[in-house]
Amino acid sequence: MLVAGEASGDHHGAGLIRELKKAAPDAEIFGLGGEQMRRAGMRLHLDLAKNSVIGFVEVLKHLGFFRRAFGMALGLIRNEKPDLLILIDYPGFNLRLAAAAHKLGNVKICYYISPQVWAWKASRIPTMARILDKMLVTFPFERELYLKAGLDCDFVGNPLVDQVKPSQTRAAWRKKLGVAADQKLVGLLPGSREQEIRHLLPVMLEAARKMATQRKDLKFVLIKAPQLPQELFQGLGTDCQIFESEKAGEAYGVRAACDFSFVASGTATLETAMLKVPFVILYRLNPLTYFVGKRLVKIHSIGLANVVAGKRIVPEFVQQLDPKVLALEALDFLARPQRGEAQVKALAPGLKSLGRPGVSARAAKAALALL
């Protein structure tokens, strides 16, 4: 049984499922996740990925849904009696489910893609060591944290190492998008959750409009996550092209074709760094969520690209988002290509630490070894 609860978890879960089926062809795989996991061969009981939210206030607004989902997940463990439970990221839900499954007994519990305990709530590690049988981490610095607490832990590498592969060349995608040789392409990546779109997309679009008044050689492309409803993107105007594809390679191809991007904090910051596209990081939360979170989080940066680098390399704009400031920042990157080149070069050492190809296969092997 697998449980994942957002777009990135669905994506990584699908890769894991494909490798599980290779290693154990007769295994029955079921659980909660998303459309990608279903297509990979999992019997999907509930699509959690399309209902993903982040933040204390946001979770409270959807508490009824999450309670029903939790009840369903626990019921599946009781009734289906899986031999192995693999929990993918999504700590607010999955750590509670791990505790409940541990009480039930008779199921091995493997956690894939660690909660960011190094950023906040490191006090949870002893509890995790008690209720989990195995932790599979995707950042090298995480392993020692769990080993010190007595939790069996493997660094399998980051699944993005295998996944971030554009389907065609940069030149081919620029031609498909109608980008002329003397034009610059700016990417807008407002996130994969509805609340991120509502908080970030208007700011990105306003910054794009201000940029367009300063330079006439700009084209803009908005990368839409496939699971998001179309109505969130209505009325954007004709100056911004929307690109959507179920095929990750195509989305990566378009993103790699950009000269600069505005990127919502999250997995997309690592992906953009891997694609060697200069960018800045944006994020905005409910004010109460931000107020509480700011007092709990203990790291120098929110962007994963910066966390992996160990220092603030990519500019971060959090909460107070001024379209004018963002436009000026983007225009400076475009006017001074050496600035973007320096950013790409500075991020490279951190990206090399994310492991070698074959991540999903190693994760599947380590999980199945519990049986």
Side-chain angles (χ1 to χ4, degrees):
M1 176 173 167
L2 280 76
V3 181
E6 47 201 355
S8 60
D10 183 29
H11 192 50
H12 300 327
L16 181 62
I17 289 165
R18 286 189 285 270
E19 294 299 332
L20 287 169
K21 293 178 86 64
K22 287 180 188 177
D26 296 329
E28 181 184 355
I29 301 174
F30 65 95
L32 288 68
E35 184 60 23
Q36 293 186 63
M37 293 171 76
R38 186 194 66 77
R39 289 202 303 269
M42 183 176 86
R43 173 159 47 92
L44 183 66
H45 287 262
L46 180 67
D47 192 332
L48 273 180
K50 71 178 182 181
N51 291 285
S52 175
V53 296
I54 189 169
F56 312 106
V57 175
E58 292 80 3
V59 168
L60 286 174
K61 289 178 181 177
H62 298 82
L63 197 55
F65 168 79
F66 288 117
R67 281 179 171 166
R68 291 191 296 274
F70 189 87
M72 174 185 286
L74 197 55
L76 284 171
I77 295 170
R78 285 197 183 102
N79 300 327
E80 300 273 355
K81 296 180 173 57
D83 299 295
L84 176 62
L85 174 63
I86 302 177
L87 305 170
I88 302 173
D89 201 359
Y90 208 52
F93 188 96
N94 274 337
L95 286 179
R96 287 179 174 84
L97 186 60
H102 177 75
K103 285 182 181 178
L104 291 176
N106 300 321
V107 59
K108 294 286 187 179
I109 306 173
C110 178
Y111 209 109
Y112 177 43
I113 306 178
S114 165
Q116 294 174 0
V117 289
W118 33 267
W120 69 303
K121 282 198 175 182
S123 59
R124 293 184 294 184
I125 294 178
T127 300
M128 293 166 69
R130 181 176 57 82
I131 64 177
L132 301 176
D133 295 290
K134 186 82 171 182
M135 173 63 76
L136 304 177
V137 297
T138 56
F139 296 116
F141 56 82
E142 296 174 317
R143 183 169 180 262
E144 195 62 32
L145 294 172
Y146 293 109
L147 291 179
K148 282 182 179 178
L151 175 55
D152 186 15
C153 179
D154 291 348
F155 168 61
V156 293
N158 196 292
L160 295 179
V161 171
D162 292 318
Q163 296 167 2
V164 180
K165 295 178 181 177
S167 61
Q168 294 183 53
T169 65
R170 170 183 165 87
W173 275 110
R174 288 174 75 88
K175 185 177 180 180
K176 281 187 177 184
L177 295 168
V179 182
D182 60 347
Q183 286 185 310
K184 299 292 184 182
L185 183 63
V186 178
L188 310 183
L189 284 76
S192 59
R193 302 180 181 94
E194 288 193 31
Q195 72 188 82
E196 290 173 329
I197 305 305
R198 298 185 196 283
H199 286 161
L200 298 178
L201 183 54
V203 179
M204 289 184 180
L205 288 171
E206 184 57 29
R209 292 187 190 102
K210 291 183 180 300
M211 291 172 68
T213 63
Q214 298 296 313
R215 291 185 59 154
K216 304 303 180 186
D217 62 341
L218 302 181
K219 283 182 72 75
F220 299 90
V221 60
L222 191 160
I223 310 298
K224 176 187 176 297
Q227 77 276 7
L228 290 172
Q230 194 65 42
E231 55 264 27
L232 284 173
F233 301 87
Q234 299 298 327
L236 301 186
T238 57
D239 55 342
C240 185
Q241 185 175 350
I242 299 177
F243 183 86
E244 175 184 1
S245 176
E246 296 274 347
K247 298 178 180 177
E250 293 185 352
Y252 287 136
V254 172
R255 289 166 60 177
C258 293
D259 296 285
F260 175 85
S261 289
F262 293 111
V263 183
S265 179
T267 304
T269 68
L270 265 185
E271 294 170 330
T272 307
M274 289 178 170
L275 293 168
K276 299 181 179 180
V277 174
F279 67 108
V280 296
I281 298 168
L282 281 66
Y283 217 66
R284 178 183 279 167
L285 292 165
N286 177 282
L288 179 58
T289 297
Y290 179 72
F291 177 81
V292 175
K294 192 175 181 181
R295 281 147 183 79
L296 294 174
V297 174
K298 307 297 182 185
I299 52 175
H300 58 79
S301 304
I302 65 162
L304 283 176
N306 285 330
V307 172
V308 169
K311 57 185 175 180
R312 181 78 63 88
I313 292 172
V314 185
E316 295 186 357
F317 298 88
V318 183
Q319 213 62 9
Q320 300 300 322
L321 305 178
D322 185 336
K324 183 179 179 181
V325 172
L326 293 171
L328 289 172
E329 188 78 358
L331 289 168
D332 185 64
F333 267 98
L334 293 172
R336 296 193 297 138
Q338 66 272 23
R339 186 181 176 193
E341 292 166 6
Q343 184 191 90
V344 169
K345 185 177 179 180
L347 290 171
L351 298 177
K352 286 181 181 178
S353 74
L354 297 179
R356 65 188 192 282
V359 175
S360 294
R362 287 194 294 276
K365 182 179 178 181
L368 291 171
L370 288 172
L371 302 180

